[in-house]
Amino acid sequence: MGRRAWGKTAAQVALGGALTYAGISHLTFARDEFQAQVPSWFPADADAVVLASGAVEIGLGAALLATWRQPSRATVGKIAAAFFVAVFPGNIAQFTEGRDGFGLDTDTKRAVRLLFQPLLVLWALRATRTDRPEPAEPERD
């Protein structure tokens, strides 16, 4: 396995572990903190949203930790990326509504956090994408 493959594997394992941990925290010790990210306009009970998103995160994390063959690996990465896009309105709401959570107690901190969401999307896609074949070296006479 080449250096690039090891890096992708490490990135996929790290993301899978992070999602699993975040999902568990949704269901246990950080439920109140995650409720701060549920937009006030969202038409569902904030605790139910936190529990459901926690279950989804555990499932995505487990899938990232267990899926290694293509094209399934890339599919799981795309689903994880879509999840990060789907929860982004909650992060925006936390900023626009000035809700504290996870130490994000100023507008500056909440705004900086918004910048990291696209990085999560890229992380999910890059760690799981189909390897491109290495370019062939030109033949030498």
Side-chain angles (χ1 to χ4, degrees):
M1 185 181 292
R3 192 179 319 171
R4 183 187 310 170
W6 276 109
K8 284 177 54 176
T9 298
Q12 183 175 338
V13 168
L15 184 58
L19 276 168
T20 302
Y21 177 80
I24 292 168
S25 70
H26 273 68
L27 305 180
T28 57
F29 62 90
R31 269 170 81 173
D32 292 338
E33 296 288 329
F34 280 109
Q35 288 177 18
Q37 296 176 349
V38 178
S40 60
W41 49 262
F42 195 73
D45 176 66
D47 193 49
V49 171
V50 169
L51 293 174
S53 62
V56 170
E57 285 184 336
I58 291 169
L60 285 172
L64 284 164
L65 293 170
T67 307
W68 297 102
R69 292 185 182 234
Q70 294 292 7
S72 299
R73 181 179 185 180
T75 300
V76 170
K78 289 174 186 172
I79 293 168
F83 174 78
F84 291 136
V85 170
V87 299
F88 191 57
N91 298 340
I92 293 170
Q94 185 177 12
F95 172 73
T96 60
E97 296 173 9
R99 293 175 161 206
D100 294 349
F102 297 108
L104 304 174
D105 54 4
T106 67
D107 285 344
T108 300
K109 289 178 184 177
R110 289 184 285 268
V112 169
R113 181 176 187 271
L114 292 176
L115 301 175
F116 286 98
Q117 200 73 13
L119 297 177
L120 288 172
V121 173
L122 289 174
W123 184 1
L125 295 173
R126 299 277 314 253
T128 58
R129 73 179 176 189
T130 304
D131 285 328
R132 295 184 202 146
E134 295 291 327
E137 292 197 25
E139 292 186 29
R140 297 183 186 199
D141 293 330

